[in-house]
DNA sequence: GTCAATGCAAATCCTTTGCATTCGG
DNA sequence: CCGAATGCAAAGGATTTGCATTGAC
């Protein structure tokens, strides 16, 4: 169905090579380096398609939407420095969660732990960004 | 610290009376009915303050940010009709989740189950909005 | 009386759309 | 070739900001 264009390939490859959960703007800036006349409408359209096709994942955070190529884990968001880190959970834990929710037909569990990361822990007064 | 202004009261009361997770625009339209010259900048500023003060909660969904006055539960989002419903989970389940995440200093767990709701279940071809 | 909060308008930022052109199948 | 995807520019929304004024304390 979807055409395997240069742009689509580049977007997927860039996100795959990227372990730090870029926003769409960050992704656009990264891709611009290699492919300098890609249009931002292409990024928006392609990213939205990839999410619908379940090729990539949206990570919904307090500071906006980030994207992740990998889909086998969940996330931690630091309320102080906004850093996102991967959280790997046992399947059994998620099964338990689904079981006790009494829901069915769940396609995806959007799970973000929010708190203060270790390196921010020691620092003085924090402000939620 | 924060002044208890008419506008702030009205925003809190409106959200408290509201069980359907409004977006900021929906909240603005609701409040306009009673308080017709409130400025939208006030809504934005106040809502953001209330989130920081942990008085209200952001609900991050595929179709954008919704707000909830109540904080004792989680959410289900229907990928077909975009309806949000409350999901109550036993504290033990969340404790387990936190325990197996190996994280500490977690202030809040943002948890949204995404899937197809019962009333959309029967319907034909669905498209993720 | 003071200063934080408000209302208004403008500015800014983010995302989508229209359309002519390109290019994958 | 054909039609879906692209690039560009403009439109459309959403959110923030500057500033004079108001009102909570």
């Amino acid at each position: 169905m979807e055409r395997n264009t240069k742009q689509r390939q580049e977007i997927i490859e860039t996100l795959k090579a990227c372990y730090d959960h870029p926003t769409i703007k960050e992704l656009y800036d990264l891709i611009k380096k290699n492919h300098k006349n890609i249009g931002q409408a292409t990024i928006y359209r392609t990213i939205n398609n990839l999410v619908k096709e379940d090729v990539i994942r949206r990570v919904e955070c307090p500071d906006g939407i980030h994207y992740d190529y990998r889909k086998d884990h969940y996330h931690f968001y630091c309320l102080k420095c906004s850093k996102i880190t991967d959280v790997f959970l046992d399947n059994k834990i998620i099964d338990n969660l689904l079981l006790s929710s009494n829901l069915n037909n769940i396609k995806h569990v959007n799970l973000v732990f929010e708190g203060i990361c270790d390196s921010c822990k020691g620092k003085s007064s924090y402000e939620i960004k």
Side-chain angles (χ1 to χ4, degrees), chain A:
Chain A
M1 194 89 272
E2 284 76 19
R3 289 189 177 176
N4 193 26
T5 65
K6 286 255 153 61
Q7 291 85 346
R8 184 179 155 103
Q9 283 167 38
E10 181 105 23
I11 291 167
I12 293 175
E13 288 312 313
T14 304
L15 196 53
K16 202 187 279 196
C18 201
Y19 284 80
D20 64 349
H21 317 92
T23 61
I24 210 160
K25 191 187 171 312
E26 287 164 350
L27 199 53
Y28 178 54
D29 291 343
L30 273 172
I31 290 166
K32 270 247 159 170
K33 288 181 187 169
N34 294 335
H35 192 135
K36 64 177 184 301
N37 64 332
I38 197 171
Q40 64 172 343
T42 301
I43 306 271
Y44 277 91
R45 280 183 291 229
T46 307
I47 286 287
N48 288 336
N49 289 339
L50 292 170
V51 171
K52 284 185 196 169
E53 296 161 31
D54 206 40
V55 173
I56 67 173
R57 186 134 293 165
R58 279 162 59 99
V59 183
E60 287 153 15
C61 291
D63 71 345
I65 306 301
H66 297 253
Y67 294 91
D68 200 334
Y69 178 75
R70 278 155 281 272
K71 293 175 292 183
D72 60 342
H73 62 273
Y74 302 89
H75 296 94
F76 167 79
Y77 176 87
C78 177
L79 293 165
K80 194 170 178 182
C81 68
S82 303
K83 194 162 176 286
I84 297 168
T85 45
D86 293 340
V87 176
F88 292 88
L89 293 174
D90 203 282
N91 282 338
K92 224 164 32 180
I93 293 290
I94 299 297
D95 288 346
N96 253 328
L97 195 62
L98 285 171
L99 209 61
S100 67
S101 75
N102 278 324
L103 297 166
N104 33 39
N105 296 106
I106 299 301
K107 306 281 186 212
H108 169 59
V109 179
N110 196 325
L111 175 56
V112 179
F113 296 92
E114 300 176 13
I116 309 297
C117 74
D118 289 345
S119 56
C120 286
K121 181 69 193 306
K123 296 177 193 164
S124 53
S125 68
Y126 76 88
E127 181 69 15
I128 296 173
K129 219 212 97 179

